[in-house]
Amino acid sequence: MIKPDAMRKNLIGEILKRAEDAGFKIVDLKVGKFSLTQARKFYQVHQEKSFFEKLVKFVSSGKVVGVLLTRRNAVKKLRKLVGATDPKEAKRGTIRRDFATNVTKNAVHASDSAQSFRYESKFFF
Ligand code: CMP
């Protein structure tokens, strides 16, 4: 998912190009906007965390793009391309290192397992 900070910075094309250049095929795309309730549901695994409210407020603050990608070993490969959650810790050349503002405004979200992919993709497709 491309998050509101990257949308505001006009980074959709750049981010999709990184995915395509890394061998992913784009299967589907959807622009949407989360309500606070939907954002809370999307991020429900984090509901006990101190940053939860800040996160849901931010992710529902503007439009997002749901991106359905395919390739072999997709979850692992995409997380490598995206980089660490905190851009300060992300390796050079990763999407977050190059495009994120901070740990909340970190440009993109990528599913961390097949199970979370199944849950998260339903919000868009
Ligand atoms: P994301 O990959 O979308 O999954 C959960 C999000 O919670 C994460 O990216 C960050 O944007 C956010 N997050 C994780 N840890 C922190 C933190 N310590 N402070 C603020 N936000 C965080």
Side-chain angles (χ1 to χ4, degrees), residues 32-78:
K33 189 171 182 300
F34 283 136
S35 65
L36 278 173
T37 306
Q38 287 167 325
R40 283 195 185 104
K41 226 173 150 195
F42 185 85
Y43 278 121
Q44 68 180 13
V45 293
H46 297 295
Q47 63 191 348
E48 304 301 330
K49 310 266 173 65
S50 59
F51 57 79
F52 182 65
E53 277 306 306
K54 193 170 163 186
L55 172 65
V56 300
K57 247 184 228 162
F58 166 65
V59 89
S60 60
S61 70
K63 287 183 180 170
V64 295
V65 187
V67 183
L68 188 58
L69 295 167
T70 185
R71 69 155 283 169
R72 199 161 49 84
N73 215 355
V75 169
K76 200 168 155 211
K77 294 280 184 193
L78 186 61

Side-chain angles (χ1 to χ4, degrees), residues 107-122:
V108 291
H109 168 80
S111 303
D112 65 3
S113 64
Q115 190 190 346
S116 41
F117 161 74
R118 281 191 291 276
Y119 179 78
E120 292 163 356
S121 59
K122 285 193 202 118

Side-chain angles (χ1 to χ4, degrees), residues 3 5 43 46 49 51 55 58 78-91 94-112:
K3 294 188 181 181
D5 56 317
Y43 278 121
H46 297 295
K49 310 266 173 65
F51 57 79
L55 172 65
F58 166 65
L78 186 61
R79 288 183 71 78
K80 194 159 178 230
L81 183 70
V82 160
T85 306
D86 186 342
K88 291 201 293 275
E89 285 158 24
K91 291 200 176 114
T94 61
I95 291 173
R96 283 175 172 155
R97 169 75 171 252
D98 294 344
F99 301 132
T101 305
N102 57 44
V103 72
T104 304
K105 298 177 181 176
N106 63 352
V108 291
H109 168 80
S111 303
D112 65 3

